[in-house]
Amino acid sequence: MKITKICCIGAGYVGGPTMAVIAKKNPHIKVTIVDINAERIAAWNDKDLSKLPIYEPGLAEIVEETRGRNLFFSTEIDKTIKESEMIFISVNTPTKTYGKGKGMAADLKYVELCARNIAEVATTDKIVVEKSTLPVRTAQAIKSILHNTGSDVKFDILSNPEFLAEGTAVQDLLNPDRVLIGGESEEAIESLANVYGSWVSQDRILRTNVWSSELSKLTANAFLAQRISSINAISELCEHTEANVNEVAKAIGMDSRIGPKFLNASIGFGGSCFQKDILNLVYIARSYNLQAVADYWEQVIILNDHQKRRFSDHLISTLYNTVSGKKIAMLGWAFKKDTNDTRESAAIYVADHLLNEQANIAVYDPKVNDKKVQADLNYLNTRTEEENKDLVQSYNDPYEVTKDAHAVAIMTEWDEFKTYDWKKIYNHMKKPAFIFDGRNILDKTEMEKIGFEYSSIGK
Ligand code: NAD
Ligand code: UGA
């Protein structure tokens, strides 16, 4: 099928950047991103590019180049579905918070709603592309909905999971390690391969069956997260043996079979996907009664929770076993640098734990505002909104946030944190002045020379 119009349902962290790059590289294709969230669509259409709903290095420039040319953001879902030959489903698939599979399985209600919407309004043949991360065999459900409309519209369903990481989304999309397309219809697969073929060489475009494609996405995230839990497990051992986790990571990473990437010990991984996708994998394994497989992957999450907990426990015990009434300055709230996304950020859980001990939390993040910080804490339901407001303050300035603080906790590895005048920060903190470097980004010797009591992960 010749593709001239693409619709993407879901204007989020995946839909936005992915479609912007597709539009940039395919000026002959009209790409329209639709969403039920009118506020989000309005932000995508804002003339002021600093107001785009998603911060990603390089994204605003691409939106500026393509928006109004062949990239459009709209709330007119039905109309856009109707006119497009190819429809991407890129909606959220969070962990279920109710019913069967609560806390484990992926909630597929948004995906199903999209499939029903497409089935209802389509009058011409469509290629439907699963871009959301879905449990293996979801395409079966989508197929069943689309093939039972009673009309003679033909639907081909493809799985095309996204591997971009936030903070580097544009670069990941422009130079992907691979593009994965799973499907039955060769013609449909080639139509999508041609869209990517505008900038990705064909040998990097993998064609598989639908189920391998769906499962590969969950597996890739599970393997990546497993590496972090593995190095974090070793970081705890390092702290008891005087080994240094950075040195260990370097030594093992030089083995070409292991490789150097994704070996940074940290306060634990965050982000909207690793935990959700592993829980989903565990749920699927359990549903096939594969208990050993489920237990194996569940341990990645258990270790990650342990890592977040032990960071805050260490902070409390170092501050003489009490943080009650003490100002703890948190540098960073986003789940990693170069994004404004805070979903499942380790900072939220560390703050929550410290708040249970009656700490006063002061937050500075270059891309996250107070509204978001409060919403993240309120979502946990641990205390009232008023209590969170009382105990947690956000600042716009790294020097203000650290003033009179008993301790600084580095939660996100923003580059700017390394460039601060740490002597100035030391001078206006309470003494002894503590730094808990949850990202191992500062130099221990330098910090100790200034006078800080410095501790980091795995050293
Ligand atoms: P997101 O929450 O940022 O965006 C999803 C959007 O879909 C929201 O704006 C929501 O309003 C919209 N939506 C939901 N139901 C809708 C409907 N019926 N009609 C129209 N719009 C609807 O989510 P995201 O981070 O972009 O993730 C989307 C999917 O991609 C998830 O399955 C996720 O696992 C996967 N994924 C995410 C990343 C990432 O880095 N965030 C990377 C790879 C894959
Ligand atoms: C991750 C994957 O890397 C993407 O390939 C995938 O597409 C995406 O999930 C998804 O499916 O959503 P993302 O979560 O955006 O991407 O970012 P990562 O760079 O993977 O970082 C995840 C978390 O792990 C962050 O909190 C990060 O700080 C942490 N991390 C990462 C470490 O603690 N150590 C590391 O060595 C690497």
Side-chain angles (χ1 to χ4, degrees):
M1 190 188 288
K2 185 160 165 40
I3 307 300
T4 61
K5 292 191 189 77
I6 287 178
C7 164
C8 172
I9 311 181
Y13 283 87
V14 169
T18 310
M19 292 303 130
V21 169
I22 287 183
K24 176 184 166 67
K25 295 293 185 179
N26 290 281
H28 57 288
I29 300 180
K30 179 184 176 192
V31 180
T32 307
I33 313 181
V34 295
D35 205 295
I36 36 172
N37 184 338
E39 206 183 314
R40 210 168 205 187
I41 290 296
W44 278 113
N45 281 322
D46 203 304
K47 279 208 178 71
D48 179 354
L49 289 164
S50 72
K51 301 233 169 77
L52 295 184
I54 286 164
Y55 171 72
E56 273 295 337
L59 179 62
E61 289 81 350
I62 298 182
V63 171
E64 184 174 31
E65 175 192 339
T66 52
R67 197 175 57 186
R69 180 190 77 183
N70 67 325
L71 179 67
F72 301 90
F73 297 90
S74 165
T75 50
E76 290 188 301
I77 302 178
D78 292 358
K79 175 175 168 274
T80 311
I81 291 174
K82 227 179 206 156
E83 71 178 22
S84 304
E85 298 100 13
M86 182 174 272
I87 300 157
F88 286 79
I89 300 180
S90 186
V91 298
N92 35 329
T93 49
T95 304
K96 270 186 93 175
T97 52
Y98 56 90
K100 191 162 175 255
K102 178 179 173 181
M104 298 293 289
D107 192 343
L108 299 181
K109 72 176 170 204
Y110 306 106
V111 172
E112 182 173 334
L113 277 171
C114 292
R116 289 190 184 281
N117 201 343
I118 297 168
E120 235 171 74
V121 304
T123 50
T124 53
D125 296 352
K126 311 278 179 208
I127 296 172
V128 176
V129 185
E130 296 177 350
K131 186 52 117 178
S132 298
T133 302
L134 297 168
V136 55
R137 297 205 73 85
T138 305
Q140 193 61 41
I142 296 182
K143 199 170 167 181
S144 162
I145 291 167
L146 292 174
H147 287 180
N148 283 295
T149 57
S151 73
D152 54 6
V153 174
K154 180 171 158 269
F155 295 100
D156 284 312
I157 294 129
L158 300 177
S159 159
N160 172 225
E162 185 48 60
F163 296 100
L164 69 79
E166 289 178 30
T168 53
V170 170
Q171 277 318 309
D172 294 343
L173 287 163
L174 289 172
N175 307 296
D177 286 347
R178 77 316 206 174
V179 167
L180 179 56
I181 304 176
E184 277 172 8
S185 152
E186 221 167 278
E187 196 199 340
I189 292 176
E190 292 318 309
S191 295
L192 182 54
N194 278 338
V195 172
Y196 285 107
S198 301
W199 80 99
V200 181
S201 67
Q202 286 297 328
D203 58 333
R204 284 183 183 255
I205 304 179
L206 293 183
R207 285 101 165 147
T208 66
N209 78 33
V210 186
W211 322 124
S212 305
S213 172
E214 288 178 338
L215 188 55
S216 298
K217 174 62 196 174
L218 293 183
T219 308
N221 274 359
F223 269 59
L224 288 168
Q226 179 203 40
R227 265 175 91 88
I228 304 170
S229 279
S230 298
I231 199 69
N232 281 343
I234 297 302
S235 77
E236 189 168 13
L237 196 53
C238 286
E239 288 164 25
H240 287 83
T241 56
E242 291 185 36
N244 176 326
V245 76
N246 287 0
E247 292 176 355
V248 174
K250 185 161 186 200
I252 64 165
M254 284 175 77
D255 184 325
S256 60
R257 293 167 303 173
I258 297 174
K261 293 182 183 167
F262 251 70
L263 287 176
N264 293 323
S266 66
I267 32 167
F269 59 76
S272 63
C273 293
F274 279 172
Q275 173 161 309
K276 144 178 104 64
D277 292 347
I278 294 176
L279 288 174
N280 189 9
L281 193 65
V282 170
Y283 182 76
I284 295 168
R286 290 238 154 87
S287 71
Y288 287 104
N289 211 14
L290 307 175
Q291 300 304 346
V293 177
D295 291 349
Y296 176 78
W297 287 110
E298 193 165 35
Q299 198 57 36
V300 173
I301 301 290
I302 293 171
L303 200 288
N304 196 50
D305 288 340
H306 170 70
Q307 189 76 352
K308 291 183 263 187
R309 185 75 191 197
R310 88 185 179 83
F311 181 81
S312 40
D313 281 344
H314 170 65
L315 189 152
I316 295 163
S317 66
T318 309
L319 292 187
Y320 316 107
N321 286 316
T322 176
V323 287
S324 178
K326 292 181 180 168
K327 178 177 177 184
I328 312 296
M330 283 192 162
L331 291 183
W333 190 263
F335 80 98
K336 63 183 286 198
K337 73 170 178 178
D338 292 337
T339 177
N340 60 348
D341 195 349
T342 64
R343 290 177 289 181
E344 291 300 327
S345 178
I348 303 169
Y349 297 95
V350 170
D352 189 53
H353 187 194
L354 297 176
L355 288 167
N356 285 343
E357 296 294 324
Q358 302 182 338
N360 289 320
I361 303 288
V363 181
Y364 167 74
D365 185 294
K367 291 287 174 197
V368 181
N369 61 26
D370 186 49
K371 199 170 149 204
K372 192 83 201 60
V373 171
Q374 295 292 334
D376 287 338
L377 289 167
N378 292 338
Y379 185 76
L380 297 181
N381 245 328
T382 317
R383 59 196 71 74
T384 66
E385 294 190 9
E386 286 67 35
E387 284 169 320
N388 282 331
K389 232 189 202 129
D390 257 14
L391 292 169
V392 183
Q393 264 79 46
S394 296
Y395 292 74
N396 296 321
D397 180 277
Y399 296 100
E400 283 303 311
V401 78
T402 49
K403 210 180 215 163
D404 293 322
H406 292 76
V408 169
I410 297 181
M411 311 307 291
T412 313
E413 73 282 21
W414 286 101
D415 290 333
E416 66 171 62
F417 298 167
K418 296 182 216 165
T419 66
Y420 290 167
D421 181 346
W422 283 97
K423 178 107 192 76
K424 181 173 163 186
I425 292 176
Y426 175 79
N427 286 340
H428 68 211
M429 280 177 66
K430 296 251 191 268
K431 307 295 177 317
F434 294 92
I435 296 182
F436 299 89
D437 185 350
R439 298 292 188 160
N440 291 358
I441 56 171
L442 299 178
D443 187 281
K444 179 179 161 73
T445 318
E446 215 174 283
M447 292 302 127
E448 286 179 347
K449 215 163 99 198
I450 292 173
F452 283 110
E453 300 285 329
Y454 173 85
S455 56
S456 56
I457 308 279
K459 290 183 197 166

